[in-house]
Amino acid sequence: MPEIAPHTRLRPSPYYEATLAEGVTSFTPYNQVLIPMGYGDPDAEYDRLMNGVSMWDVGGQRQVQIKGRDAASLTQILSPRDLSKQVVGQGKYVPMCNHAGTLINDPVVNKLDDDLFWLSIADSDMRLWARSIAAERGLEVEITQPDVSPMAVQGPMAPDVVASIFGNWVRDLQYFWFDEAVICGIQVKIARSGFSKQGGFEIYLMDGSRGTELWNIVREAGRPFDIGPGYPNPCERIESGLLSCGGDTDDTTNPFEVRLGKFVDLEVGDDVIGIRSLRKIKEEGFRRHQLGVVLKGEMPSTNHSRWYDIRVGGKKVGDMTNGTWSRKFRRNIGFALVSCAHGSGELVKVQKDGWEIEGFLCELPFR
Ligand code: THG
């Protein structure tokens, strides 16, 4: 494989050196930051997440900071989910849309103060977006990308590791809530969150010069629990039904199509971007929906790097947007974005690399 040429547009995270020392074998760019996607032993990396504890460099989950008199107004204008009851110290998962109601990002919105928010973004430029909207609407806000880089600690033993560093109070944090902490003089925020369904925490490092130190603190605390490095695990996240915005969505996907309708509040104000389109889509119905697809055969299929056609009776009905060999179900599984005319239980054929693979559609999450 050719290498990815280094460039100053593509930045290392504060944990970069630490992950090299761990033997990282692959990266993917995310918000122009390199994040690890493998350490050479995918079975062990999956097993640790499912049965032990795993630590991830997710510094690419950048924070778009919105601060100032109109910060709460702007954050709501960007969010078709009602944030009026969000309190300081609480995060909320929010599908953000453009004016057409197309999903453009799905950040965790963290409320740090009444006039201070962080959008913990997926891979698209929400700083550019937020600044444009703020300027067009004449809002008094300052929008920046502060020096904040999350690390995730995920897996059933994550509470033991994080509590042994910061204290037992972390065990009482509710999902998506966060609080401040200091360890060895390093300022962090600790949230009950992370891109897996195995539970855990995210530690938001607030000083990029101390990434290696923080990594080593977690590494040491995790030693009794056999902690090891990991990453947002494609196998686990597909098994669990977690959406990858940009990976499982295209330039016309709306939140209803990809199971995010429950995070859209149609009663939010008319000034919220995309809300009129979303009301219309909800009323008129949408074309596609997201299901699981289970393929025949017990041979692990290789890397999934583009969308594959899904056919019924020789006609294309949608796309398989991502796929993985499921270690849990011992099958190749994936997400299907298909016409609403096709549903769970239906037999389909997936066109992959010149092959036609039989499979069936099912509800998500897989079980
Ligand atoms: N953590 C933080 N920032 C992030 C992510 C993260 N930014 C990018 C990306 N991940 C955003 N996407 C998601 C997608 C799903 C979830 C979190 C972030 C998630 N969903 C749960 C679910 O779908 O079951 C819970 C949703 C809910 O019930 O509110 O956790 O991981 N900091």
Side-chain angles (χ1 to χ4, degrees), residues 160-177:
D160 294 327
V161 175
V162 177
S164 76
I165 304 169
F166 297 101
N168 274 322
W169 63 270
V170 302
R171 297 182 191 273
D172 300 326
L173 272 177
Q174 292 183 64
Y175 203 71
F176 279 141
W177 288 64

Side-chain angles (χ1 to χ4, degrees), residues 74 126-138 143:
L74 176 62
M126 297 303 283
R127 178 174 49 171
L128 174 69
W129 176 251
R131 281 180 177 161
S132 313
I133 304 298
E136 289 290 319
R137 307 238 176 156
I143 297 166

Side-chain angles (χ1 to χ4, degrees), residues 30 61 63 81 93 105-108 110 120-123 150 175-176 193-197 202 204 241-243 262-263:
Y30 200 82
Q61 291 172 181
Q63 308 305 301
R81 180 173 184 182
Y93 178 50
N105 206 292
D106 64 338
V108 178
N110 290 310
S120 184
I121 59 171
D123 186 23
Y175 203 71
F176 279 141
S193 56
F195 197 58
S196 87
K197 281 287 195 183
E202 290 179 300
Y204 289 71
L242 286 171
L243 181 77
K262 59 181 181 284
F263 303 117

